[in-house]
């Protein structure tokens, strides 16, 4: 992605490349051209779907890179895949860095929270990139006891440890996210279902945003969706899971750590593909709000 002060962008779509070139980037339409245009020591940021697409891209780049270069996986990879890739790239003298990113489609405006794994040397070299992509301190009140110069974590990024640590922390982050979303979804489902009162869900979501202990960005997204349509009629309630929730539960089993809420929230997503409730519509609305995730056609 970046070498020295030069930014090179590779994309399979020529239209996307032309658009980014118009914004000042140096474009490339093949990995070979991309590698040639980067200044040494080179660094490439891979942002493709987890699994085989990431494996193929990382290993293709490894054939073009050499000792001292860095390959960054900024997707939602399984941390055990990071451990394997790190070993494979180390044989070529290439540094491997994994970056769990959170911020969804709004990260372009707000900045991305980043959880980073990899060798200290490579992470330090990439610090200007992380500092640029991070949200910065913003207007968030400082945590009591943090009275020194704001650390990197207060800017929104953290070197969590060696290879895989970044994606491991992001995996647990997403597992927690599942639980939080499920709690909101079930709560609004109860509010909607109660026969004793005629409750305005959009107004309840709005009042909870102001001073409540349950306020959060997820609640903000829920309030927005309900304000636009209190019935959430645009959503069927079919809720996908993108892998991290499953990996979190698998890790909990491996480590013998109870994870009752996180497990239940994952199973609720499985159930949503068989029967849809208002709770699942709320979940689907939140996923669309923060990540632009869309339901399959027909909700199947």
């Amino acid at each position: 992605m970046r070498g020295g002060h030069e930014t090179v962008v590779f994309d399979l779509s020529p239209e996307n490349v032309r658009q980014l070139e118009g914004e000042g980037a140096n474009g490339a339409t093949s990995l070979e051209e991309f590698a040639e245009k980067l200044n040494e020591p080179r660094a490439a940021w891979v942002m493709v779907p987890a699994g085989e697409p990431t494996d193929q891209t990382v290993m293709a780049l490894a054939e073009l890179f050499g000792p001292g270069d860095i390959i960054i996986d900024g997707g939602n990879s399984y941390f055990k895949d990071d451990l394997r890739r790190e070993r494979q790239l180390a044989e070529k003298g290439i540094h491997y860095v994994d970056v769990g990113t959170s911020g969804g489609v709004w990260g372009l405006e707000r900045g991305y929270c980043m959880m980073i794994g990899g060798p200290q040397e490579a992470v330090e070299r990439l610090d200007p990139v992380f500092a640029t992509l991070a949200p910065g301190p913003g207007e968030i009140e400082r945590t009591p006891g943090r009275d020194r110069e704001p650390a990197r974590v207060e800017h929104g990024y953290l070197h969590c440890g060696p290879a895989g640590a970044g994606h491991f922390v992001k995996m647990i982050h997403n597992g927690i996210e599942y639980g939080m979303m499920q709690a909101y979804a079930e709560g609004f489902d109860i509010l909607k279902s109660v026969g004793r009162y005629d409750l305005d869900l959009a107004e309840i979501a709005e009042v909870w945003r102001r001073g409540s202990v349950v306020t959060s960005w997820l609640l903000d997204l829920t309030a927005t969706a309900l304000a636009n349509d209190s019935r959430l009629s645009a959503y069927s309630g079919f809720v996908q899971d993108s892998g991290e929730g499953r990996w979190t539960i698998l890790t909990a089993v491996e480590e013998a750590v109870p994870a009752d809420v996180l497990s239940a929230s994952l199973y609720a997503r499985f159930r949503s593909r068989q029967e849809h409730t208002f709770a699942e519509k709320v979940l689907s609305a939140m996923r669309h709000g923060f990540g632009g995730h869309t339901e399959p056609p027909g909700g199947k």
Side-chain angles (χ1 to χ4, degrees):
M1 175 179 149
R2 185 183 294 259
H5 298 290
E6 183 75 14
T7 300
V8 182
V9 177
F10 165 67
D11 195 295
L12 291 174
S13 167
E15 292 78 14
N16 290 344
V17 171
R18 283 195 294 270
Q19 178 183 344
L20 292 168
E21 285 177 329
E23 298 174 10
N26 190 352
T29 54
S30 72
L31 286 180
E32 291 77 12
E33 181 186 7
F34 172 76
E36 289 175 0
K37 286 187 174 182
L38 285 171
N39 298 328
E40 295 185 1
R42 297 168 290 190
W45 188 301
V46 177
M47 206 76 176
V48 297
E52 190 62 27
T54 296
D55 266 339
Q56 291 178 351
T57 305
V58 167
M59 299 319 295
L61 278 170
E63 292 299 317
L64 301 170
F65 276 24
D69 292 339
I70 305 172
I71 296 179
I72 310 153
D73 175 14
N76 281 324
S77 289
Y78 189 27
F79 77 98
K80 292 186 178 180
D81 290 337
D82 292 320
L83 302 178
R84 170 177 50 79
R85 292 184 197 127
E86 189 272 340
R87 289 192 299 269
Q88 292 172 315
L89 267 59
E91 295 176 357
K92 298 175 176 288
I94 301 171
H95 298 300
Y96 179 82
V97 174
D98 55 284
V99 181
T101 59
S102 182
V105 295
W106 298 96
L108 186 62
E109 299 177 6
R110 298 160 56 114
Y112 298 91
C113 170
M114 288 171 287
M115 296 138 273
I116 305 159
Q120 185 74 29
E121 173 193 346
V123 174
E124 288 293 332
R125 197 200 308 170
L126 294 167
D127 188 74
V129 178
F130 299 137
T132 300
L133 293 173
E139 299 179 359
I140 298 175
E141 185 176 343
R142 297 195 75 184
T143 301
R146 287 188 175 271
D147 51 5
R148 298 183 180 179
E149 186 70 20
R152 288 169 178 168
V153 290
E154 294 179 87
H155 286 264
Y157 65 105
L158 172 67
H159 183 201
C160 301
H167 280 148
F168 183 86
V169 174
K170 176 56 162 52
M171 177 185 76
I172 303 304
H173 162 285
N174 280 32
I176 293 171
E177 176 188 291
Y178 278 35
M180 293 174 63
M181 293 173 68
Q182 189 63 31
Y184 282 127
E186 293 178 4
F188 279 103
D189 203 4
I190 296 170
L191 291 170
K192 177 181 179 297
S193 300
V194 67
R196 185 177 291 111
Y197 306 111
D198 182 17
L199 300 173
D200 189 323
L201 302 189
E203 295 293 278
I204 292 171
E206 191 60 34
V207 75
W208 282 356
R209 293 183 62 223
R210 305 178 186 280
S212 164
V213 296
V214 299
T215 189
S216 74
W217 186 34
L218 291 172
L219 181 61
D220 294 345
L221 296 172
T222 304
T224 299
L226 290 169
N228 290 329
D229 177 11
S230 63
R231 299 169 62 88
L232 300 182
S233 53
Y235 301 95
S236 71
F238 185 106
V239 186
Q240 293 278 21
D241 67 285
S242 52
E244 298 92 336
R246 300 188 190 206
W247 300 334
T248 299
I249 302 311
L250 288 172
T251 302
V253 172
E254 289 176 355
E255 301 298 329
V257 176
D260 304 48
V261 172
L262 307 190
S263 299
S265 64
L266 176 63
Y267 297 152
R269 295 194 178 200
F270 295 163
R271 184 196 64 211
S272 78
R273 297 159 206 175
Q274 300 172 350
E275 53 180 301
H276 307 326
T277 67
F278 189 76
E280 271 84 54
K281 288 188 175 187
V282 176
L283 282 177
S284 195
M286 279 188 276
R287 292 187 82 241
H288 183 263
F290 67 73
H293 304 290
T294 57
E295 297 177 346
K300 297 180 180 179

